[in-house]
Amino acid sequence: MPKLSAAFLVLAPLALAACSTLSVESEARHPEGVRALTRTLVVVALSDASRGVAEETLVAHLTSLHPATWYETVALVGGVTLGTLRERARKDGFDGLLVVWLDGVTQKQYPDLAGEGEMGIPGSSQIRTRTVASLTALDGDLEIWKGIVTSRDAGPGNLLGPHLARETVLAFADRLHKDGVAN
């Protein structure tokens, strides 16, 4: 029996590495004088395929913020800073700005585990992403909500592809609702 327990302890991290998990942290700030947002620009700074899926998902789930995706309203070019984006959104008549961006990627490699006979277990890798979202009231540039989603996913092919991007922004949308920022 001790061999079975030891084998389970060795295999448990690999099983966890094969599953995608999301963890969400957020902080809502309700400064005095912030009125309800009537037009919010949604910008997701990811690859084109993932960006479109993520932005449309946020627009569909955050209707109380009166969201619009950036490609429907403004033409942005590469190298845009958050300050420039805020100015452009304000100029185009928005009073809110929700920006989502990939903040970090780390990879952990699990080695092959040799076994007797055909019981060897191939190695694997785990990729962890950290994605940040910030909702700003443009009148006064007040950040009224910030969230972080950390995702552990099994392989490099899933690095914030459309499916994982959708899961990530759904986690943000759920948290915006739970924190009382969106209805």
Side-chain angles (χ1 to χ4, degrees), residues 120-132:
I121 299 173
S124 65
S125 65
Q126 179 186 76
I127 294 179
R128 175 181 234 132
T129 59
R130 183 174 192 265
T131 308
V132 177

Side-chain angles (χ1 to χ4, degrees), residues 24-91:
V24 184
E25 303 169 39
S26 66
E27 180 181 358
R29 301 176 187 113
H30 298 284
E32 295 293 321
V34 174
R35 65 184 197 288
L37 301 176
T38 60
R39 192 166 179 232
T40 303
L41 178 62
V42 176
V43 178
V44 178
L46 298 174
S47 69
D48 287 343
S50 297
R51 185 195 74 235
V53 167
E55 288 179 353
E56 291 301 328
T57 300
L58 286 170
V59 166
H61 287 85
L62 299 174
T63 56
S64 67
L65 299 178
H66 310 282
T69 57
W70 73 265
Y71 60 85
E72 292 176 348
T73 56
V74 294
L76 299 175
V77 294
V80 174
T81 66
L82 188 55
T84 304
L85 188 55
R86 285 178 178 167
E87 287 303 315
R88 180 63 192 256
R90 194 177 293 110
K91 178 182 170 195

